Amino acid sequence: MDDKKLKFNSKTIHGGQQPDAAYGAVMPPIYQTSTYAQSTPGSHKGYEYSRSANPTRTALEKSLASIENGTYGLAFASGLAAIDAIIKLLNPGDEVLSTNDLYGGSYRLFRQVFEKFGIKFTFIGMQDAEKIEGYISDKTRLIWVETPTNPMMNIIDIEAVSVIARKHKILLAVDNTFATPYLQTPLDLGADIVMHSATKYLGGHSDVVVGALVVKDKELATRLYFIQNASGAVCGPMDSFLVLRGIKTLHVRMQRHCENGKAIAEYLAQHPKIEKVYWPGFKDQANHDIAKHQMNDFGGMISFVPKGGSYEDAINIAEKLRVFTLAESLGGVESLVGHPASMTHASIPKEEREKSGVVDALIRLSVGIEDEADLIADLEQALV
Ligand SMILES: *Cc1c(COP(=O)(O)O)cnc(C)c1O
């Protein structure tokens, strides 16, 4: 079967997958082994040690490459381990331009782990892609983009950034965790590397922590594979299996996440107690036209601010919700609510975070795939 010819909804199920060679198992077995028998030294069946490669992980890596329209996939122990591998492509003295409104853990990794090795990170707003060029120096080696951003749902024009990156021979990496390849495929828009926290939508069931990279270029894949094996933050066989199983229903789940997300964004927007709703599907949201162009739909991530709301009001609402669970993370089948100011973004000083819109009263929803009526009724009772 030529996977490249399949439509996305078939790639999630069949992309890179074949019945297992031993007994025809339709799902790849969980090869829970560290090592593989050799008949004479160096002679084996393609696998010698599970840090270097494991058949269950290979199955996941092929699936990842297929759904992102890439050529090579790499699975890591977590999303941050995947980002860590990208930054290890760089050398001391190199510079990185990063989206300023980004996942807190990425910010922490950049500032607190890699800066001391002499890599410089500059955080800038990228909603106006043309402005990026002004920040490029002869030491800039990587542009780091997250879109939609967390938690403000800002949209960055991947294609426009890729034109600038290419012109200056800079790598472009896109964190595609929020959108997933159901909504956007950054490699098709000119990115060099796509990164995922597969912990979120790809896994989809809040039962695993996994990271992923996908690239098209063979040389880049070889360099990243070297780092994956040399540094060793690989994805285990059981976790590979779980994400592979998750990916098989990605398109069905995403469709419902998007439908429920739209219904809830519209419900909140008309609610008299709500000041502002952030969701890329609104026509008056900044860069809505870009979202419409580069995404197939608008997803299930929404942030909102209650009218005249304080820190305590936001926590009250979050605590009153019953169907939405108050928890970190996102992208699972169950709806979650988070309070960025006290949870994901607590480590960022108040003035810093308010500059990008993360006010005390901001509430973030990861809309799940429950019945829309139950989710709306839950919000209704929490907002009285
Ligand atoms: C969760 C997340 C990460 C980090 O992934 P882990 O799997 O938690 O290590 C990176 N980027 C985004 C956008 C995320 O939501």
Side-chain angles (χ1 to χ4, degrees):
M1 187 167 30
D2 183 0
D3 309 335
K4 288 213 159 62
K5 291 211 177 106
L6 294 176
K7 302 252 190 295
F8 181 78
N9 294 352
S10 309
K11 281 184 179 174
T12 57
I13 296 162
H14 298 292
Q17 306 304 301
Q18 264 144 24
D20 186 63
Y23 297 109
V26 167
M27 269 308 274
I30 301 163
Y31 282 96
Q32 197 71 50
T33 187
S34 61
T35 191
Y36 307 80
Q38 308 192 5
S39 51
T40 99
S43 171
H44 50 74
K45 296 179 173 165
Y47 294 90
E48 48 190 333
Y49 186 62
S50 281
R51 171 163 33 70
S52 309
N54 171 285
T56 319
R57 194 175 95 215
T58 304
L60 171 61
E61 291 175 334
K62 288 190 168 162
S63 166
L64 291 164
S66 171
I67 60 174
E68 280 289 1
N69 296 339
T71 318
Y72 305 93
L74 298 127
F76 291 84
S78 70
L80 283 172
I83 302 174
D84 177 273
I86 298 175
I87 306 302
K88 284 176 178 160
L89 292 168
L90 307 179
N91 293 308
D94 288 351
E95 295 180 5
V96 179
L97 289 178
S98 167
T99 308
N100 60 357
D101 175 27
L102 87 164
Y103 179 70
S106 310
Y107 180 82
R108 182 178 55 196
L109 177 68
F110 295 166
R111 297 296 311 273
Q112 296 188 40
V113 177
F114 280 110
E115 247 171 30
K116 68 173 184 226
F117 292 105
I119 297 167
K120 189 178 154 205
F121 296 86
T122 307
F123 299 88
I124 56 173
M126 293 188 174
Q127 287 99 289
D128 185 353
E130 314 226 304
K131 289 208 179 125
I132 296 173
E133 203 154 16
Y135 291 90
I136 292 176
S137 82
D138 60 356
K139 295 193 181 121
T140 310
R141 294 287 176 273
L142 174 72
I143 300 180
W144 184 262
V145 165
E146 201 180 302
T147 180
T149 65
N150 175 24
M152 300 313 297
M153 312 301 154
N154 288 316
I155 300 294
I156 296 165
D157 188 338
I158 298 172
E159 205 163 14
V161 180
S162 86
V163 169
I164 295 167
R166 193 142 306 168
K167 182 173 153 198
H168 294 270
K169 299 196 168 58
I170 297 168
L171 283 177
L172 170 60
V174 176
D175 183 338
N176 206 26
T177 301
F178 265 41
T180 84
Y182 176 84
L183 296 179
Q184 78 191 5
T185 44
L187 296 179
D188 293 333
L189 298 167
D192 299 292
I193 308 174
V194 177
M195 173 265 155
H196 276 279
S197 169
T199 313
K200 317 293 168 53
Y201 286 106
L202 299 190
H205 295 74
S206 308
D207 53 8
V208 74
V209 174
V210 167
L213 300 180
V214 181
V215 301
K216 273 188 169 160
D217 180 69
K218 184 162 190 208
E219 196 244 309
L220 186 55
T222 305
R223 287 167 68 205
L224 287 167
Y225 172 70
F226 174 82
I227 293 165
Q228 183 194 36
N229 184 45
S231 290
V234 294
C235 177
M238 179 74 198
D239 291 352
S240 298
F241 175 88
L242 286 171
V243 175
L244 200 47
R245 184 165 74 162
I247 288 173
K248 286 178 193 286
T249 56
L250 177 66
H251 53 298
V252 189
R253 288 184 284 110
M254 285 306 291
Q255 186 181 349
R256 183 65 69 84
H257 282 297
C258 291
E259 286 165 13
N260 282 355
K262 179 173 195 288
I264 285 170
E266 284 170 356
Y267 162 79
L268 289 171
Q270 57 78 48
H271 198 287
K273 289 203 167 161
I274 301 297
E275 175 79 40
K276 176 84 184 142
V277 185
Y278 299 93
W279 176 66
F282 289 130
K283 285 197 180 65
D284 60 352
Q285 170 112 3
N287 285 0
H288 168 74
D289 287 346
I290 295 165
K292 248 175 100 173
H293 170 71
Q294 76 184 12
M295 300 169 76
N296 295 317
D297 205 334
F298 304 108
M301 295 302 299
I302 299 168
S303 291
F304 69 95
V305 181
K307 246 179 209 155
S310 64
Y311 192 94
E312 289 72 27
D313 293 331
I315 287 179
N316 260 334
I317 293 168
E319 284 179 354
K320 269 197 208 152
L321 289 165
R322 287 285 164 265
V323 183
F324 286 85
T325 303
L326 178 60
E328 305 266 2
S329 201
L330 61 110
V333 289
E334 61 288 288
S335 291
L336 300 180
V337 55
H339 178 236
S342 67
M343 295 165 74
T344 44
H345 291 62
S347 60
I348 305 172
K350 186 173 153 88
E351 297 103 72
E352 250 332 89
R353 69 175 155 72
E354 293 204 333
K355 261 192 244 159
S356 56
V358 187
V359 296
D360 281 350
L362 188 82
I363 296 169
R364 190 191 79 179
L365 301 178
S366 169
V367 178
I369 63 169
E370 299 95 334
D371 195 288
E372 169 194 315
D374 289 328
L375 297 176
I376 290 181
D378 195 30
L379 286 162
E380 187 79 20
Q381 63 81 26
L383 288 169
V384 289

